Amino acid sequence: MAVIVLVPDDYGFEVLSGIDGIQPLRYEAGEPLPDGAEHAEVLVPKFLSRADTVDLTQLPKLRLVQMMTAGAEGWISRLPDGVRLSTGRGAHGGSSAEWVMAALLHIYRELGGFVDAQRTQQWTFHQTGTLVGKRILVIGAGDLAAQLVRRLDGFDTEVTLVGTRARDGVHGVDELPDLLPGRDVVVLTVPVTTRTTGMVDAAFLAAMDDNAILVNIARGPIVQTDALLAELQSGRLRAALDVTDPEPLPPGHPLWTAPNLLLTPHVGGNSTGSYERGYAVVRAEIARFVAGEEPQNLVRGEY
């Protein structure tokens, strides 16, 4: 008997229709589930959705929730007993790393200022900064971090990785107080957990060098917004944020007008082909599940 998989869009329906042993069933997030959903064993949530967008009580046979994104904080600890959660790790690391590179090049090469000068027809010839040779601390050592290191290598940067625990080529998070000073850039790529929520506080930021750049391509709650605002408004630090706390950022929030800040609306992984990359991971993980194997991206504990 085929495994019924609930999918939130037509593209996913087509992708999963090509796998033996799977019967995709289309649903709309936030609306009543279709007939037959009560037999579904796998749920694919809508991109960037949370557990409250689907009535899980109507899915008595559910065994697996398969994400299209690496971030799963909206689902962890919200699933019934016995239901496993697998992330989309590996789908968007490359495009998110590309965003980090774009943000750093924009800041160091002052591209925003040159665009403004172009509008007013001013030839503002001057020397800019450079990414070449910068000392970069990447907090998080997963797929996104690995993709970022590959790209930074081409700029002759000095990259230091920090993970939950120390291992070959990776420092432990407990070493952060000694690793933050002396870095030109600190990049956040960690998931939201009880340990990482609010980890970038006033003390963390105070340990960073003057004029250093904080880059958040992870999730907004990793950074204490008020503490970052204080550093940006003083002019001591710079930042590039693709995510914020709160998010979406409401009109009138002080981050909109904060100096020394490059801000984008959570688009790091949202580029051409993002659905195709997301569903490539979804397809592979569900195929493993149907074959009786464990998905590779299973969440264990908080992540």
Side-chain angles (χ1 to χ4, degrees):
M1 182 177 293
V3 173
I4 295 177
V5 179
L6 287 169
V7 292
D9 51 69
D10 293 338
Y11 181 80
F13 186 91
E14 291 182 15
V15 168
L16 296 180
S17 294
I19 305 177
D20 289 340
I22 286 181
Q23 179 184 336
L25 180 62
R26 185 78 163 79
Y27 77 98
E28 293 287 346
E31 296 186 7
L33 292 170
D35 291 341
E38 66 274 14
H39 301 296
E41 296 182 52
V42 181
L43 168 68
V44 179
K46 185 178 179 180
F47 196 78
L48 292 178
S49 67
R50 304 179 69 87
D52 57 9
T53 60
V54 179
D55 185 357
L56 299 176
T57 65
Q58 301 300 307
L59 302 175
K61 294 189 177 181
L62 187 64
R63 297 168 56 203
L64 175 70
V65 173
Q66 176 58 56
M67 308 286 297
M68 282 192 282
T69 60
E73 65 274 8
W75 294 83
I76 293 172
S77 301
R78 293 174 171 85
L79 296 178
D81 290 343
V83 178
R84 310 195 76 177
L85 178 64
S86 177
T87 73
R89 186 180 66 237
H92 311 295
S95 55
S96 296
E98 179 182 74
W99 180 92
V100 175
M101 299 300 298
L104 291 175
L105 289 169
H106 176 93
I107 292 170
Y108 279 123
R109 300 314 303 262
E110 301 180 25
L111 299 183
F114 288 125
V115 169
D116 291 340
Q118 179 185 351
R119 291 195 185 104
T120 57
Q121 301 182 36
Q122 297 182 66
W123 192 259
T124 55
F125 176 79
H126 66 275
Q127 189 177 70
T128 71
T130 178
L131 180 56
V132 174
K134 290 297 185 288
R135 301 156 299 176
I136 299 177
L137 185 68
V138 179
I139 303 176
D143 173 65
L144 196 167
Q147 295 280 358
L148 180 57
V149 168
R150 282 204 306 120
R151 288 156 176 79
L152 288 169
D153 281 346
F155 287 82
D156 298 323
T157 58
E158 177 188 313
V159 182
T160 302
L161 285 175
V162 177
T164 304
R165 56 179 177 78
R167 51 192 184 275
D168 187 31
V170 180
H171 292 266
V173 70
D174 56 307
E175 301 176 63
L176 270 180
D178 296 325
L179 293 173
L180 287 168
R183 310 293 166 177
D184 300 297
V185 179
V186 177
V187 183
L188 307 172
T189 72
V190 295
V192 172
T193 67
T194 55
R195 189 172 184 179
T196 63
T197 298
M199 71 180 292
V200 180
D201 56 11
F204 181 109
L205 295 168
M208 293 174 60
D209 282 8
D210 290 354
N211 209 39
I213 301 171
L214 177 75
V215 180
N216 191 359
I217 189 65
R219 288 292 187 269
I222 307 300
V223 178
Q224 293 186 12
T225 301
D226 289 346
L228 177 60
L229 274 168
E231 293 284 10
L232 295 175
Q233 290 166 348
S234 74
R236 198 183 74 81
L237 295 180
R238 297 176 285 176
L241 306 179
D242 186 47
V243 290
T244 60
D245 184 22
E247 187 178 308
L249 200 62
H253 193 283
L255 274 178
W256 284 117
T257 55
N260 307 303
L261 173 63
L262 172 64
L263 179 65
T264 60
H266 204 151
V267 296
N270 189 20
S271 61
T272 305
S274 60
Y275 257 57
E276 290 83 351
R277 292 188 294 271
Y279 268 109
V281 174
V282 167
R283 177 188 174 103
E285 290 287 75
I286 293 177
R288 292 186 186 97
F289 174 79
V290 172
E293 304 172 12
E294 276 201 341
Q296 293 182 348
N297 293 348
L298 283 178
V299 172
R300 304 179 191 280
E302 285 196 86
Y303 196 73

